[in-house]
Amino acid sequence: MEPSPYFRGLVACKRTTPKGIMQEYARPNFIGLKPTKAVIVLLAINIAMVIINGVARKYLQTDFLEQHLGLRPSSVVGGLELWQPFTYFWLHSSRDPGHLFWNLLTLWLFSGPLQRAWGTKAFIRFYLICGFGSGLVVLAAGLLWNPNMLTVGASGAILGLVAAFGILYPDLPVYIFGVFPIKGRTLAIIFAILSTGVPLIYPSHVSVAAHIGGLALGALITTGYWKPERILRRIRLARARRRLKALEGGRGSSGDDGAKQNYLH
């Protein structure tokens, strides 16, 4: 499946040819593809920010980075720290290494085919849009329920990539630990359920709003449904089909009635 023309218009995506990707994935690796340069840069930035944040907390006794670069709805609205929806997804808490590990593992697993297919600029643009968009979802949810909740982490941006992977490469086999092949759609669904469904059932500090926002935005962009005209076009097409069926049914019934009348006479 190719990215929709709406997606190409949004991120200047190149035509995808997954043949080479299929061949590389067909070789069982530890997990997924080797990371591309763009993915390595994103991994490095996330790791560097955690180290800087940890050093600041331990030696400078300050939470300045988390407090001013993390996303807190009350700070965005009341304190006019309008940059937070863009900066929060570059940070991870140094007190929760597991959060960083799973996010970077997911980024490594799902990003390679997308970056190869779209090109570096389109891939980075998609990542930034999903991160910023999921931040806006967190902001809206926080203003409604908990404006003082602090959110950090790249989960929204990364889950946007997960959604795109599942849509564009549903049958692409991914070898987990080089042994267990799982289709792309199945793996994406598993990650989506683990990141959104489980926190809803077992409440934790995970930002479900960021996860849902990232998944939804990634799917909308990839399919082209982020444009209202796309949805309106589908609605008009469905109405036209119903009218056509109604006309065809009316003609068929009138013809049958005429035949019955002729027979009865």
Side-chain angles (χ1 to χ4, degrees):
M1 176 180 179
E2 292 185 13
S4 72
Y6 300 94
F7 173 74
R8 289 199 293 270
L10 182 63
V11 297
C13 179
K14 296 192 296 186
R15 184 181 179 89
T16 175
T17 52
K19 182 177 180 181
I21 297 172
M22 289 288 289
Q23 292 175 348
E24 188 167 355
Y25 250 109
R27 309 188 198 111
N29 299 313
F30 171 69
I31 182 168
L33 290 170
K34 295 179 180 179
T36 61
K37 290 182 179 180
V39 176
I40 291 174
V41 170
L42 291 176
L43 293 171
I45 292 175
N46 280 278
I47 293 173
M49 291 301 295
V50 167
I51 294 174
I52 294 172
N53 189 28
V55 169
R57 284 178 52 81
K58 184 174 182 180
Y59 296 102
L60 302 179
Q61 302 297 316
T62 178
D63 285 334
F64 178 84
L65 290 179
E66 288 188 19
Q67 295 302 320
H68 294 284
L69 298 184
L71 177 55
R72 192 188 302 274
S74 60
S75 297
V76 176
V77 177
L80 295 181
E81 297 186 18
L82 304 179
W83 57 83
Q84 290 186 2
F86 184 79
T87 57
Y88 83 99
F89 61 90
W90 299 106
L91 285 176
H92 287 81
S93 175
S94 58
R95 291 165 289 187
D96 188 4
H99 185 207
L100 175 69
F101 172 78
W102 285 110
N103 271 355
L104 298 190
L105 181 65
T106 307
L107 178 63
W108 175 26
L109 174 61
F110 290 98
S111 297
L114 299 175
Q115 196 270 324
R116 284 175 168 84
W118 299 343
T120 301
K121 290 183 179 179
F123 172 78
I124 294 297
R125 194 174 300 146
F126 183 91
Y127 181 87
L128 295 178
I129 291 172
C130 289
F132 178 73
S134 61
L136 295 181
V137 175
V138 172
L139 177 61
L143 291 175
L144 289 174
W145 288 290
N146 191 350
N148 292 317
M149 177 67 70
L150 180 68
T151 301
V152 295
S155 299
I158 293 171
L159 286 172
L161 297 172
V162 171
F165 185 94
I167 292 169
L168 296 177
Y169 303 110
D171 298 318
L172 189 66
V174 181
Y175 284 85
I176 303 300
F177 302 111
V179 179
F180 308 103
I182 300 179
K183 288 187 176 182
R185 181 194 291 113
T186 303
L187 192 60
I189 291 173
I190 291 173
F191 271 77
I193 292 174
L194 290 176
S195 61
T196 57
V198 174
L200 287 174
I201 298 174
Y202 302 100
S204 64
H205 63 284
V206 173
S207 177
V208 178
H211 292 184
I212 294 176
L215 286 167
L217 192 57
L220 287 172
I221 295 173
T222 306
T223 57
Y225 286 111
W226 65 278
K227 275 198 170 185
E229 66 183 49
R230 170 85 167 177
I231 300 175
L232 292 174
R233 185 177 301 174
R234 292 294 295 267
I235 293 174
R236 294 192 192 104
L237 182 60
R239 287 178 178 175
R241 286 176 176 170
R242 284 198 298 268
R243 290 174 183 172
L244 181 60
K245 287 182 179 179
L247 290 174
E248 290 177 348
R251 291 173 183 172
S253 61
S254 63
D256 291 340
D257 290 340
K260 290 179 180 178
Q261 290 173 2
N262 291 336
Y263 179 76
L264 290 173
H265 280 289

